[in-house]
Amino acid sequence: MRKIKNTQTTAATWAADGTISTAIERIGLITRINATVEVTPSATLDGQNQPDGLFRLIQNLRIQGGSATYFNLPADDGCQGGVLQHYRALIDGLGVGHESGDVAAPSASYVPIDFPIHIGSRPQTKYGIDNPFDLSAFIPANKESQLVAEWTTSGNDVMDDTVTIASAVMRFTISRVTGSHEDIAAEMQRQGVAVLPGNTGWIPQYSSTNFAIGATSTDFVSQSVDVPSGAFLRRIFIIAQDATADRALRAADQISEIQLRNSKAGENLLEVGVEVITGSLPFGSNMLADDAALDFGNQAPHGIYPVDLRPHMGGPVGEDYGLNLIDGDNADAWKLGFIIDNRAQGDDALISWERYVPTAVGLDG
């Protein structure tokens, strides 16, 4: 068995308002993908940068196999999907992802921003060490007839009012495990992966919802969305945004409380004010307009609400994969509800559902 990390030679070249498809090498079991964008701005981002400008290089990034969609971001023209993925990785302890926005040739001709996609549920070991070969879930690349990364972009002005994208390249660094079925199964056992009877492991099936905020509300039912069933739901990641014309901004004044309830059983699993969530977030950066010191400084990012279901579950399966929405009469009964304090026409929330399903695929590769 081998644990391999390499940057593949096939990369994606940015083009405005399009979808760039790049083949991902179909070798082994993929456990992490680092999608790193090297963006050349028309001017330095130290003096000019709108909120989250550097993270708006991705409208959507989809990992698509011949048999399944493994990863998918909620997409809108303001590219908050990229913002969501940046903060998901930051919350998971995978780093800030970027250097300074200062570009001064010849010492620097582009600004790199890394968007890690960790496939499994354990981005760090129990000792707090980076865990790129985590087999709690994987993409079975060697079993797919095709595997592509589809990068959807917006216009070249998505970062700032005046600084545009001159060019950009996305490179893919793949962490994968290869070997015999028996060796990989033994490694999964060593890692303590809980495998359901009749299956060999877990694969991701992330999905997304763009939820239009319809009105202010004092109850959770009137402003709610159905939780998708058919998989284990590990985490719900939400970004609330204002309806700005070209570059939607994260909003802290819309959602005040979040509820997750079983509508059939009448049970609330979670009901919490968003200040509790915001207060627990790590420092953010690249957030404020036209202020070099604070654009890359430290603050808690507002309008970002991760709801982790693993702490609510018991047993080795629940602690890794969250709420079971495959089995039982109530699998399709769950609702995600919001209390809305403030609302303008066009305000919405982008929701990423982090979902996992068991698989019986062979582990050899």
Side-chain angles (χ1 to χ4, degrees), residues 312-333:
H312 297 268
M313 301 296 111
V317 173
E319 289 174 357
D320 263 335
Y321 307 104
L323 180 62
N324 183 353
L325 299 180
I326 298 177
D327 303 320
D329 295 336
N330 294 324
D332 61 349

Side-chain angles (χ1 to χ4, degrees), residues 253-284:
D253 61 346
Q254 294 174 8
I255 300 172
S256 63
E257 295 183 58
I258 297 173
Q259 180 193 73
L260 185 65
R261 71 181 184 277
N262 185 317
S263 60
K264 291 182 180 179
E267 173 193 10
N268 294 336
L269 185 65
L270 175 139
E271 189 172 311
V272 64
V274 297
E275 292 87 354
V276 174
I277 301 175
T278 300
S280 67
L281 298 178
F283 285 150

